[in-house]
C-alpha cells in the first residue's frame, strides 16, 4: 500500500520516505538517466539516493529489488511527472540542459527569481515555467522553433531565409519531448528487466520473497 501525504514524503510498506523534490535535483536525476555510462541497477540505486533524503535512505535496506523498483516508479509517477499544457504542435521546443541559461534568464526577467540561489519545489518550478510570459527569452526561443514557415511568395523570400537561419541557430540537438519519452521508456524497461532478473534469481534459504 502506497500513501502520498502532501509534505513531500511517501509511505511505502509502512515506512515513511522523505523526498528531495528540489527542481535542480530532479533535473540532475533526468540527466543521470540519459547517461549510458550507468547500468540499469546503478540507475535505480542512484535515483532512489537522489530522490530520498539521507535521513530516510536507511529504510531502503529492508526493501527487495522489486519493491525498490516499485517505490522508484511511484515517486516518479506521483511527484515528478507533470502533465504539460496541451498543444497541437507535435514538435518539441525546449530542452532543460541545452536551454538552461535562457530558462535561468527568463526566471530572473519574469519573476525576479535567481534559480542559482532559490530552491524551488519541482512542481512549483514547472508551473512557473509553463506560465512564462511571452516577452521572455525562453518563450522567444520556443516561438522561433515552433513557428511555421509562411507559404513562399515573391515578396517574402528574405523573411523565410531569416526564419530558417534563426531556426537553425536555435535548433535542439535532442528535444525535451524525446528526452522525456526516452526517460519514461527507460524507466519502464528498467523495471521490466530488473523484475525479470529478480524472478530468475535463486532464493536464499529463509527468503520468503515477500
Amino acid at each position: 500500500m502506497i500513501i502520498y501525504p502532501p509534505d513531500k514524503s511517501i509511505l511505502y510498506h509502512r515506512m515513511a520516505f522523505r523526498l528531495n523534490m528540489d527542481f535542480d535535483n530532479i533535473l540532475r536525476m533526468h540527466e543521470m538517466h540519459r547517461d549510458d555510462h550507468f547500468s540499469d541497477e546503478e540507475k535505480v540505486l542512484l535515483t532512489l539516493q537522489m530522490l530520498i533524503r539521507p535521513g530516510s535512505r536507511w529504510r531502503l535496506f529492508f526493501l527487495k529489488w522489486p519493491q525498490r523498483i516499485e517505490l522508484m516508479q511511484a515517486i516518479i509517477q506521483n511527484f515528478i511527472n507533470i502533465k504539460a499544457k496541451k498543444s497541437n504542435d507535435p514538435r518539441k521546443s525546449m530542452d532543460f540542459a541545452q536551454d538552461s541559461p535562457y530558462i535561468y534568464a527568463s526566471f530572473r526577467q519574469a519573476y525576479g527569481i535567481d534559480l542559482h540561489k532559490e530552491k524551488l519545489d519541482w512542481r512549483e518550478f514547472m508551473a512557473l515555467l509553463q506560465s512564462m510570459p511571452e516577452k521572455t527569452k525562453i518563450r522567444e526561443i520556443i516561438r522561433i522553433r515552433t513557428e511555421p514557415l509562411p507559404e513562399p511568395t515573391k515578396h517574402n523570400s528574405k523573411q523565410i531565409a531569416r526564419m530558417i537561419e534563426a531556426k537553425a541557430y536555435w535548433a535542439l540537438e535532442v528535444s525535451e519531448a524525446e528526452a522525456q519519452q526516452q526517460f519514461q521508456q527507460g524507466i519502464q524497461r528498467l523495471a521490466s528487466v530488473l523484475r525479470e532478473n529478480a524472478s530468475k534469481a535463486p532464493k536464499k534459504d529463509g527468503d520468503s520473497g515477500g
Side-chain angles (χ1 to χ4, degrees):
M1 181 178 181
I2 302 172
I3 301 175
Y4 308 99
D7 59 348
K8 300 181 193 175
S9 66
I10 182 171
L11 186 62
Y12 180 74
H13 278 250
R14 293 183 292 182
M15 293 184 290
F17 294 89
R18 293 185 62 245
L19 305 177
N20 181 354
M21 289 293 107
D22 292 344
F23 82 95
D24 52 347
N25 184 53
I26 307 304
L27 293 179
R28 284 193 294 270
M29 186 268 294
H30 274 274
E31 285 300 303
M32 183 271 293
H33 273 269
R34 293 165 69 173
D35 192 335
D36 293 333
H37 290 94
F38 296 106
S39 69
D40 289 345
E41 289 82 2
E42 287 173 330
K43 287 180 179 179
V44 172
L45 291 173
L46 288 171
T47 298
L48 290 172
Q49 288 174 8
M50 295 173 79
L51 298 180
I52 296 174
R53 294 191 178 276
S56 300
R57 287 178 197 156
W58 62 272
R59 296 183 174 94
L60 293 171
F61 176 80
F62 299 102
L63 299 180
K64 300 181 186 301
W65 263 110
Q67 295 169 334
R68 292 182 183 185
I69 295 167
E70 183 181 31
L71 175 61
M72 177 188 69
Q73 290 180 304
I75 296 171
I76 291 172
Q77 181 64 35
N78 291 277
F79 290 86
I80 296 176
N81 287 352
I82 303 292
K83 189 174 183 180
K85 290 181 177 179
K86 291 184 178 180
S87 173
N88 295 324
D89 194 336
R91 294 167 297 179
K92 214 31 212 119
S93 54
M94 189 188 70
D95 181 271
F96 287 124
Q98 296 175 59
D99 291 328
S100 58
Y102 315 113
I103 294 173
Y104 171 83
S106 298
F107 267 80
R108 288 294 298 265
Q109 178 185 353
Y111 308 118
I113 294 175
D114 186 340
L115 291 177
H116 292 161
K117 297 179 180 179
E118 297 196 38
K119 291 288 186 181
L120 295 180
D121 175 83
W122 173 248
R123 287 166 289 190
E124 181 183 7
F125 168 78
M126 286 300 297
L128 292 173
L129 181 60
Q130 292 178 356
S131 303
M132 194 68 67
E134 290 294 330
K135 293 183 179 180
T136 51
K137 188 63 179 178
I138 191 62
R139 294 288 292 179
E140 176 189 351
I141 293 170
I142 290 172
R143 179 185 57 76
I144 291 171
R145 289 172 179 159
T146 58
E147 186 176 13
L149 295 174
E151 290 292 328
T153 69
K154 61 181 180 180
H155 302 294
N156 65 0
S157 58
K158 290 184 179 180
Q159 176 194 1
I160 292 175
R162 287 194 298 269
M163 291 179 66
I164 292 174
E165 184 178 0
K167 286 178 178 292
Y169 182 83
W170 293 111
L172 291 171
E173 296 177 11
V174 178
S175 73
E176 186 62 31
E178 293 169 326
Q180 179 68 11
Q181 184 179 27
Q182 291 171 7
F183 173 72
Q184 295 299 331
Q185 291 174 346
I187 290 293
Q188 293 170 3
R189 180 181 62 84
L190 194 66
S192 177
V193 169
L194 292 175
R195 281 202 189 96
E196 183 178 354
N197 291 343
S199 67
K200 292 179 179 178
K203 292 184 179 181
K204 297 179 181 179
D205 293 341
D207 187 351
S208 63

